[in-house]
Amino acid sequence: ELRVRLGWLTSIAPALRVLLAAQLVKYADDSDAFTDELERVREMFRAVHLRRGHAYEALAVLVLRRLQAGKPIELPQVQRLHDIYEAMKRHHWFLTGPEDFPACAMLVGRPGTPTEIGDGTDALYTTLHQRADLWRGDSLQTAANMLYLAEVEPSVIVERFATILAGFRETGTRIGLQQYDELAILCFLARPTATIITTVNEYRDRL
């Protein structure tokens, strides 16, 4: 149903359609209702002068739809997304782009002004680079944006990130740029570091 509605020229790859379909099933959502909302909200994106980003717009709308508990997304939410996006750009104009729309959508539901959120994500970006010796760039910015969702002091969440990172490396697991965001997700698990590392490595070996 998504393939038919989204078409072949929207830059929404089959793998992403699977992700969208899984979320629609999980929340008992309707593919036509979601696609209708996507088309409607895209017009709002253009109204607030957000850049085009077909696949990233779809993910952002999916997130906003969850925040709205299925109710129609309204212009104030889209404007807040835009303002958070612009606040991030003030710190990293060369990194921030449509690929950050989903993270900005997640941050729409968090307290604080867009400026405070932009400052907070940048603080995490800087602390991650310094404490965990991570490469600067898009992957680090994505990880910082995700860790901001934890709503704890940067030093605390970064220390957890660094501890998990060190634990994986001690087991011989390579953690590169592409794993920064995955490591950030693991920081939200209420499990001991050793348990997280053992479990992930066991799944990896089985795969």
Side-chain angles (χ1 to χ4, degrees), residues 2 10 16-17 19-20 22 31 39 50 61 88 90 94-95 102 107 114 137-138 140 179 182 184 187 206:
L2 289 172
T10 60
L16 179 55
R17 290 205 303 271
L19 186 152
L20 293 172
S31 61
E39 293 174 355
L50 280 168
V61 169
M88 289 181 180
R90 283 194 284 274
F94 53 95
L95 292 179
L107 293 167
D138 286 326
L140 183 57
Q179 285 75 48
E182 296 170 1
C187 291
R206 288 172 61 189

Side-chain angles (χ1 to χ4, degrees), residues 26-147:
K26 179 178 180 179
Y27 290 98
D29 205 343
D30 178 77
S31 61
D32 281 329
F34 169 75
T35 310
D36 288 344
E37 185 74 339
L38 175 59
E39 293 174 355
R40 187 180 69 85
V41 175
R42 273 180 170 161
E43 295 182 2
M44 295 186 193
F45 281 19
R46 302 293 82 78
V48 299
H49 308 295
L50 280 168
R51 292 170 55 187
R52 293 185 181 276
H54 296 291
Y56 303 113
E57 290 176 354
L59 288 172
V61 169
L62 183 71
V63 173
L64 292 175
R65 194 165 169 81
R66 296 286 79 80
L67 291 177
Q68 289 289 93
K71 296 178 182 178
I73 297 166
E74 300 178 352
L75 186 58
Q77 283 85 46
V78 176
Q79 184 63 56
R80 181 168 170 80
L81 186 155
H82 168 274
D83 294 344
I84 292 171
Y85 175 81
E86 290 297 323
M88 289 181 180
K89 284 188 69 174
R90 283 194 284 274
H91 290 285
H92 302 285
W93 65 267
F94 53 95
L95 292 179
T96 307
E99 67 276 6
D100 295 298
F101 287 171
C104 290
M106 294 177 192
L107 293 167
V108 163
R110 290 298 184 264
T113 67
T115 298
E116 290 170 342
I117 292 173
D119 291 345
T121 55
D122 180 61
L124 281 166
Y125 179 95
T126 301
T127 308
L128 281 169
H129 169 68
Q130 295 173 345
R131 170 65 181 86
D133 193 28
L134 302 181
W135 291 93
R136 292 187 178 97
D138 286 326
S139 297
L140 183 57
Q141 176 165 276
T142 299
N145 292 343
M146 295 175 68
L147 289 176

